[in-house]
Amino acid sequence: MIKGVLIDYGGTIDTNGLHWGSVLWSAYQKFESGITKEEFSKAYSFGERSLAINPIIKPSHSFYDTLELKVEQQFQFLKDNGSELPAELIKAIAKECNDFALETVRKAKPVLQELASQYPVILVSNFYGNINRVLEVFEIESFFQEIVESAVVKVRKPDPKIYQLGVEALGLKPEECVVIGDSFTKDIVPAKTIGCKAIWINVAGWEDTTVNHEGPYQADAEIKDFSQVPGIINQLNK
């Protein structure tokens, strides 16, 4: 029986399975940046590494602040590589993506509320040290019994240890826990590695990778919408 729930944040709760690379790329296209997808992909990867390594994002930063800083890093990379964009696009892209996240989180709230009413719920996220502020602004912090954030615990997905910390916070056995996430390699594989059940929100990845969806790392269920989670957990418990 499933007695506890571990949920990924980015790409799961805030985009309903869409990779943030896809969300940001759509905004670049909407505002006619003129950047190719290959150029954006390189800028996106650079920005993610930069924010993970450097203390650019502070605990007080909201999700909009995070997006603005993220896009600033991308624009700097593009400028350094010969593709300078108008500075005013930074705020426009950040707002577009933040509005998308706000609406997606609004739809996710009733699902989180239902889960939290039935199970202890832990958030497990690769984030920048400000996830508590993000959850507070989006008004969903009360649904989580505890937060396991990579910048705080100094362990990042796909290292299974970060999910092990979540299981330990629940005080349950791994087989009594289910992990919900959008990334096969960063959520499903580490979840199955430590013995948890796993629900994969398989909507849209970003990089083309070949992964083995079968064998020991096969998800216990695949879904296309976060709203399906409570029903799937009920099915797994039958």
Side-chain angles (χ1 to χ4, degrees), residues 82-189:
S83 298
E84 186 170 3
L85 297 177
E88 58 266 25
L89 279 186
I90 294 175
K91 291 184 180 295
I93 291 171
K95 183 180 184 304
E96 176 76 12
C97 293
N98 190 66
D99 288 348
F100 172 78
L102 278 169
E103 177 61 17
T104 308
V105 171
R106 183 188 67 79
K107 293 177 180 178
K109 279 183 182 180
V111 183
L112 292 170
Q113 186 172 24
E114 182 177 352
L115 290 172
S117 70
Q118 299 180 53
Y119 308 95
V121 182
I122 304 288
L123 191 76
V124 181
S125 179
N126 278 357
F127 222 74
Y128 312 103
N130 64 322
I131 192 67
N132 285 289
R133 176 59 176 159
V134 171
L135 300 179
E136 179 186 0
V137 172
F138 285 169
E139 299 181 343
I140 57 173
E141 74 280 9
S142 64
F143 300 128
F144 304 105
Q145 180 174 293
E146 195 166 325
I147 309 297
V148 181
E149 183 181 10
S150 61
V152 175
V153 300
K154 307 303 179 186
V155 181
R156 287 182 62 83
K157 303 174 189 178
D159 190 332
K161 291 179 183 177
I162 194 168
Y163 274 114
Q164 184 62 47
L165 290 172
V167 171
E168 291 170 2
L170 286 169
L172 298 171
K173 299 175 182 178
E175 58 268 27
E176 296 174 324
C177 304
V178 63
V179 168
I180 302 153
D182 70 299
S183 171
F184 185 83
T185 55
K186 293 181 180 179
D187 297 311
I188 307 309
V189 171

Side-chain angles (χ1 to χ4, degrees), residues 14-138:
D14 61 358
T15 69
N16 197 26
L18 286 175
H19 191 283
W20 264 104
S22 297
V23 177
L24 282 156
W25 171 236
S26 294
Y28 271 71
Q29 290 178 297
K30 176 178 179 177
F31 293 106
E32 301 179 346
S33 66
I35 298 300
T36 67
K37 189 173 183 179
E38 181 180 4
E39 289 175 312
F40 168 76
S41 183
K42 291 178 181 177
Y44 176 83
S45 296
F46 169 83
E48 293 304 298
R49 288 194 301 270
S50 181
L51 293 182
I53 295 170
N54 303 303
I56 296 170
I57 295 177
K58 308 301 182 186
S60 61
H61 283 149
S62 68
F63 193 59
Y64 172 81
D65 298 331
T66 303
L67 286 167
E68 189 171 336
L69 291 166
K70 189 184 294 268
V71 178
E72 281 181 2
Q73 292 296 308
Q74 295 166 6
F75 271 42
Q76 186 61 52
F77 176 88
L78 291 167
K79 179 180 179 180
D80 292 343
N81 286 272
S83 298
E84 186 170 3
L85 297 177
E88 58 266 25
L89 279 186
I90 294 175
K91 291 184 180 295
I93 291 171
K95 183 180 184 304
E96 176 76 12
C97 293
N98 190 66
D99 288 348
F100 172 78
L102 278 169
E103 177 61 17
T104 308
V105 171
R106 183 188 67 79
K107 293 177 180 178
K109 279 183 182 180
V111 183
L112 292 170
Q113 186 172 24
E114 182 177 352
L115 290 172
S117 70
Q118 299 180 53
Y119 308 95
V121 182
I122 304 288
L123 191 76
V124 181
S125 179
N126 278 357
F127 222 74
Y128 312 103
N130 64 322
I131 192 67
N132 285 289
R133 176 59 176 159
V134 171
L135 300 179
E136 179 186 0
V137 172
F138 285 169

Side-chain angles (χ1 to χ4, degrees), residues 216-227:
Y217 302 128
Q218 185 176 8
D220 295 275
E222 290 186 29
I223 59 176
K224 295 295 183 182
D225 194 278
F226 188 65
S227 65

